[in-house]
Amino acid sequence: MSDEIGSVMMDGEEVLVMPEIPIRPNQSIPTVAAIILLLGAAMVGFATYSSFMSDELFTEADETQLANQFTESEADVTQEDLAQYDDQFSNSTYGTWSSILLLLSTSSLLAGGILLLRGNRKGIQSGALGALLLIIVNIWAGSASQEAATHLPEIASLTFATMYYIYACCGLFCLTSAMMPMLFASGRAALAPVPTNLLTTVTEEEE
């Protein structure tokens, strides 16, 4: 039994197969992701440098300026209050580990950006790891900030904690950017490894 399609005769066992259209690699997708990761690494690297070089969050000038700003906002915050907050926050468990975690995040983001620029799929994993570390560190920082600010007015406590949660959103943006090449077929194709069947063919020809 056969079916007729136009002027083409087909047997009952034959099936029409649509030809596979090859996906054109788009190198710009991993390149954009790499640039974002490198910018993120630069920002986190600056925070890491500041964390290693200073044992305190604020200088005396910063504390005076912040106290004046809160006073203008009708919040009763003195320079001594900010010094106490700084001391409790810097000497917390977060303050002890933050520099190391930020350094790991910087290294992972930097490695991820470089690998993606080279078209290496491992850059996605490295960049995602660095972004996750950045998110975790800043969520932890927000929690530690609230614990250290129990003696401050609510507006001051929320201001300091919100700052770290905004940084966590930056980490989320870096995480999305690291995964971006996998969200598009052309981006995945730009990072695709050498086909194994090609290696097999070359090996057979050599034999």
Side-chain angles (χ1 to χ4, degrees), residues 180-202:
M180 184 168 57
M182 300 302 295
L183 301 178
F184 302 94
S186 57
R188 294 193 298 269
L191 299 175
V194 178
T196 55
N197 57 352
L198 178 60
L199 296 176
T200 303
T201 303
V202 173

Side-chain angles (χ1 to χ4, degrees), residues 65-197:
Q65 182 180 3
L66 286 171
N68 292 333
Q69 290 176 351
F70 282 120
T71 300
E72 292 174 358
S73 302
E74 299 182 355
D76 186 15
V77 179
T78 64
Q79 186 175 350
E80 289 74 18
D81 292 332
L82 292 172
Q84 181 181 348
Y85 164 80
D86 193 350
D87 182 67
Q88 292 178 352
F89 182 77
S90 300
N91 293 311
S92 64
T93 305
Y94 166 80
T96 304
W97 289 96
S98 59
S99 300
I100 298 175
L101 293 176
L102 287 173
L103 179 61
L104 291 175
S105 176
T106 302
S107 302
S108 297
L109 289 172
L110 181 62
I114 294 174
L115 289 173
L116 284 178
L117 280 178
R118 296 180 176 179
N120 193 326
R121 189 181 294 266
K122 291 183 179 180
I124 296 176
Q125 301 173 352
S126 179
L129 175 61
L132 282 174
L133 283 173
L134 183 59
I135 294 172
I136 293 172
V137 167
N138 283 288
I139 291 177
W140 187 11
S143 176
S145 176
Q146 288 181 319
E147 292 179 1
T150 53
H151 63 287
L152 296 177
E154 184 177 3
I155 184 174
S157 176
L158 289 176
T159 298
F160 292 137
T162 301
M163 175 181 64
Y164 292 106
Y165 294 138
I166 292 175
Y167 293 155
C169 291
C170 294
L172 182 60
F173 179 68
C174 288
L175 177 61
T176 304
S177 300
M179 301 301 295
M180 184 168 57
M182 300 302 295
L183 301 178
F184 302 94
S186 57
R188 294 193 298 269
L191 299 175
V194 178
T196 55
N197 57 352

Side-chain angles (χ1 to χ4, degrees), residues 19-27 29 181 184-192:
E20 293 185 4
I21 301 176
I23 299 174
R24 298 181 59 182
N26 187 351
Q27 187 61 41
I29 295 177
F184 302 94
S186 57
R188 294 193 298 269
L191 299 175

Side-chain angles (χ1 to χ4, degrees), residues 6-81:
S7 60
V8 179
M9 299 295 295
M10 297 181 59
D11 293 333
E13 298 179 355
E14 293 181 340
V15 180
L16 283 176
V17 178
M18 293 293 294
E20 293 185 4
I21 301 176
I23 299 174
R24 298 181 59 182
N26 187 351
Q27 187 61 41
S28 63
I29 295 177
T31 299
V32 170
I35 292 174
I36 294 174
L37 291 180
L38 291 176
L39 290 175
M43 294 176 62
V44 181
F46 179 76
T48 304
Y49 173 80
S50 300
S51 180
F52 274 110
M53 296 301 295
S54 177
D55 296 332
E56 296 181 348
L57 186 63
F58 304 129
T59 63
E60 291 186 5
D62 293 334
E63 292 172 355
T64 302
Q65 182 180 3
L66 286 171
N68 292 333
Q69 290 176 351
F70 282 120
T71 300
E72 292 174 358
S73 302
E74 299 182 355
D76 186 15
V77 179
T78 64
Q79 186 175 350
E80 289 74 18
D81 292 332

